[in-house]
Amino acid sequence: MKQDKLTTIAVRAGINSDEHHGAVVPALHLSSTYSLKGFNEKRQFDYSRTGNPTRATLAQVISDLENGSTGIITSTGMSAVHLICQLLATTDTLLIPHDCYGGSYRLFTYLAERGLFKLLVVDQNDEQQLQQALAQKPKLVLLESPSNPLLRIVDIKAICAQAKAVGALVAVDNTFLSPLLQRPLDLGADIVIHSTTKFINGHSDVVGGAVVTKDAELGEKLAWWANCIGITGAAFDSFMVLRGIKTLPIRLKQHQQNTEQLVAFLQNHPAIEKLYYPGLTDHPGHDIAKAQQQGFGSMFSFEIKGGEAQVRTLFANVKLFTLAQSLGGVESLISHPSTMTHAGMNLEAQIAAGIGQNLIRVSVGIEDISDIIDDLDNALNASLEVAY
Ligand SMILES: *Cc1c(COP(=O)(O)O)cnc(C)c1O
């Protein structure tokens, strides 16, 4: 019987797949190499860079969750992002959003500078900029929705249709939501990218990535490159992520419930200038998010009133929130995009992307909501005590 409910797919990942011992949970296969049955008679796996049973189980579940044909597990989210660049020849153009993840922005700009492909950086919500860029017939269009750190939303379905019309492939970085809350392939995308470091693993103890394709031929091509350049994920990491993914549905429920309550509390906080969360009805992407997502997620950001003194005071006074990069783990994290996640963007690019010095990004964890609210409230109130 095909089990096609997403929660069931996540929970049942690899369960009962061991035909030798009947192990309920799939084994961790650390062997780097596999024997041949005989001369020129290969088994399913021969060498772990190319293929590994533990990694294959994880690839299958992420691909199933995204409704794709092929899943590729990579060593990091960045190597997943790098992998799609293998589709580009030196004469090809890559179109990216001006506010994409800082590490992706750094990778694309430095590779383009070396002449590996042509790069167009635009505000994909600016219809004129987007049409001008598409008119240059890019080979590949990258989308990131919601974007990091401002939670901007783009209409994935609409842009996929426009990209298809000019013959471009579309890749969507779905890290901020996970396949439980958004499935870009169903909206017309060709490729989905994940940093599994974030929600998919969810416990802040693995760095990993994934690429899923709609089309099997495209998937085969990318899997070939992943093996060729040697960026496939480790067996142990795959085992850990498989363990994490089983609780993804239930973690997301708690993450989102906590976020809704925290954002509602912060809406009228005197220390906050502006809140960025797609779940708020006055967020410019609210209606599109509602239509293309199955939830608003648990990432939000805000501008604190004041200047550097207030930012410093806030970070010095949080006790439950940890001042750290990354997101999507069970623990609440708080960060300063300009000096942390987006330091790979120069100040000019940061300003163009709307990332100010007062911008704070929050990854809401699954701790008790009253502790989360109290902690941020205390730290924000402390910032109000400082002169500016
Ligand atoms: C973290 C992140 C990446 C990079 O992933 P790593 O696992 O850190 O290499 C890419 N895209 C987005 C949106 C991210 O948040």
Side-chain angles (χ1 to χ4, degrees):
M1 189 183 79
K2 190 169 153 44
Q3 294 165 328
D4 54 5
K5 293 282 184 286
L6 296 184
T7 299
T8 308
I9 293 172
V11 174
R12 304 291 304 184
I15 298 284
N16 292 340
S17 59
D18 175 20
E19 289 174 3
H20 291 284
H21 304 293
V24 175
V25 170
L28 163 56
H29 291 275
L30 291 171
S31 187
S32 59
T33 188
Y34 295 84
S35 66
L36 278 76
K37 282 192 219 158
F39 174 70
N40 210 10
E41 257 188 278
K42 272 205 257 176
R43 300 179 199 270
Q44 184 183 355
F45 300 103
D46 62 350
Y47 186 58
S48 256
R49 169 163 37 79
T50 320
N52 170 282
T54 314
R55 193 169 70 228
T57 305
L58 177 62
Q60 185 66 51
V61 64
I62 297 181
S63 174
D64 288 348
L65 289 173
E66 287 289 4
N67 199 16
S69 72
T70 313
I72 302 159
I73 301 303
T74 58
S75 55
T76 64
M78 281 318 303
S79 57
V81 175
H82 196 184
L83 184 58
I84 64 166
C85 297
Q86 304 303 327
L87 297 170
L88 301 166
T90 52
T91 50
D92 289 333
T93 298
L94 169 66
L95 169 57
I96 65 164
H98 70 318
D99 56 349
C100 68
Y101 174 68
S104 303
Y105 180 87
R106 176 177 58 192
L107 175 73
F108 297 138
T109 48
Y110 277 72
L111 291 181
E113 211 174 279
R114 279 172 41 204
L116 293 188
F117 49 79
K118 297 193 178 96
L119 184 65
L120 287 173
V121 185
V122 305
D123 175 352
Q124 294 172 339
N125 268 318
D126 181 325
E127 199 53 35
Q128 197 185 347
Q129 274 189 42
L130 180 66
Q131 292 316 322
Q132 278 173 359
L134 287 172
Q136 297 186 49
K137 294 201 184 316
K139 172 84 183 284
L140 182 61
V141 178
L142 177 79
L143 309 182
E144 208 181 296
S145 183
S147 73
N148 181 4
L150 283 164
L151 291 306
R152 290 203 184 98
I153 305 289
V154 292
D155 187 334
I156 297 177
K157 210 180 204 170
I159 299 184
C160 284
Q162 292 166 359
K164 214 133 283 176
V166 298
L169 290 170
V170 178
V172 178
D173 187 330
N174 203 22
T175 298
F176 262 42
L177 289 175
S178 92
L180 270 295
L181 300 182
Q182 178 168 273
R183 269 173 306 288
L185 300 182
D186 290 349
L187 299 169
D190 302 285
I191 302 168
V192 170
I193 299 168
H194 279 286
S195 166
T196 57
T197 313
K198 317 293 168 53
F199 288 99
I200 288 184
N201 180 55
H203 293 74
S204 306
D205 49 12
V206 173
V207 178
V211 173
V212 179
T213 65
K214 185 84 195 163
D215 174 65
E217 207 175 305
L218 180 63
E220 206 175 302
K221 190 170 174 180
L222 287 169
W224 185 90
W225 272 111
N227 174 57
C228 177
I229 56 182
I231 55 162
T232 48
F236 185 78
D237 293 352
S238 301
F239 183 82
M240 295 286 279
V241 177
L242 263 175
R243 192 176 199 274
I245 210 168
K246 292 177 201 293
T247 55
L248 177 62
I250 191 122
R251 278 188 279 115
L252 283 172
K253 272 187 197 156
Q254 196 60 45
H255 277 298
Q256 291 197 119
Q257 193 184 318
N258 283 358
T259 307
E260 252 171 59
Q261 291 187 43
L262 179 59
V263 167
F265 172 79
L266 295 177
Q267 255 191 308
N268 300 309
H269 203 287
I272 289 182
E273 186 73 50
K274 198 167 165 43
L275 262 177
Y276 300 92
Y277 182 60
L280 294 171
T281 49
D282 62 354
H283 185 284
H286 177 76
D287 292 339
I288 298 169
K290 204 169 165 184
Q292 74 186 8
Q293 299 175 195
Q294 283 74 51
F296 297 112
S298 61
M299 295 299 299
F300 74 93
S301 54
F302 64 88
E303 270 151 26
I304 189 171
K305 281 188 190 156
E308 193 181 318
Q310 282 66 34
V311 172
R312 279 183 187 280
T313 306
L314 174 81
F315 288 138
N317 281 277
V318 284
K319 293 192 176 77
L320 179 144
F321 278 89
T322 307
L323 174 59
Q325 314 218 16
S326 201
L327 58 112
V330 292
E331 69 290 331
S332 293
L333 300 178
I334 193 161
S335 68
H336 185 242
S338 176
T339 55
M340 294 168 68
T341 47
H342 287 65
M345 273 185 176
N346 62 38
L347 217 54
E348 202 180 317
Q350 284 188 13
I351 291 165
I355 301 167
Q357 293 304 304
N358 285 12
L359 187 73
I360 313 282
R361 192 188 77 179
V362 177
S363 173
V364 184
I366 63 170
E367 302 94 338
D368 190 290
I369 185 59
S370 53
D371 288 332
I372 293 177
I373 289 177
D374 283 352
D375 190 52
L376 207 48
D377 186 33
N378 281 337
L380 283 167
N381 289 336
S383 82
L384 287 171
E385 306 289 316
V386 184
Y388 59 90

